[in-house]
Amino acid sequence: MAVREALLGILTLGPAYGLQLHAELGARAPHRAKTNVGQVYGTLDRLTTAGLVTHQGLTEDGLPLYALTDSGRDEANNWLCGASMTSLPEWADVQDMVLISSSVNKVHATALIHSLKSHLINDLVETGITPARRLYAQATVRYHEAVSNWLADVGVSDLQEQPHYSIGRPKRGRPAKT
């Protein structure tokens, strides 16, 4: 997953601190292996340098809060609705986009699904090509069919946004050994 885009998308909910964003990312994209918390903080630093995220004060216990800038919000909204998509992404990225988008903004998720569907063009399998190119072309057709089938299964009732951050506050530090 592009942690960068996912964090921007989640930050459309409002300011948050790094560990909170780490927990939200795991909850909103449960199909993914757990993202390293260091990757989240490194990405937040790069987003801040790029002018997409800014520091928004501190939590009660001194954790830095991050918030979107205007350009960060524009980029997040474009990703959430698929406006910047030029071709059908890889399978994991399709899942990331649909799961994150549907968890933060139902309107964007609906637009994203329409955008993804517009990229589902069945490629014609060429004749007279190498076996590897023919197999690749067939795999592309099957991939498009799989994405199309999954998007058909994603109903409006499945697009249940969580317009706020989770109520529970993530604990800091390592879990206790058992």
Side-chain angles (χ1 to χ4, degrees), residues 11-133:
L11 279 168
T12 62
L13 299 173
Y17 56 95
L19 198 57
Q20 181 180 18
L21 290 167
H22 178 260
E24 292 290 335
L25 184 58
R28 293 169 190 268
H31 67 291
R32 285 301 199 153
K34 191 171 183 177
T35 303
N36 183 307
V37 73
Q39 183 179 2
V40 170
Y41 281 106
T43 302
L44 287 169
D45 287 343
R46 287 187 293 282
L47 290 170
T48 301
T49 300
L52 301 173
V53 170
T54 186
H55 290 279
Q56 188 78 32
L58 302 171
T59 63
E60 292 175 5
D61 56 346
L63 298 174
L65 288 170
Y66 298 89
L68 293 173
T69 62
D70 290 340
S71 57
R73 182 165 302 281
D74 290 344
E75 190 164 326
N77 288 333
N78 284 337
W79 182 77
L80 289 169
C81 69
S84 56
M85 192 175 11
T86 58
S87 63
L88 188 65
E90 298 290 326
W91 176 242
D93 293 331
V94 169
Q95 291 180 52
D96 294 338
M97 294 173 80
V98 170
L99 292 171
I100 297 291
S101 184
S102 68
S103 77
V104 298
N105 189 305
K106 192 173 182 178
V107 173
H108 285 340
T110 301
L112 171 64
I113 289 170
H114 288 298
S115 182
L116 287 167
K117 286 180 178 179
S118 74
H119 290 289
L120 292 172
I121 301 167
N122 285 329
D123 299 325
L124 295 175
V125 178
E126 301 174 34
T127 57
I129 58 174
T130 67
R133 295 281 300 156

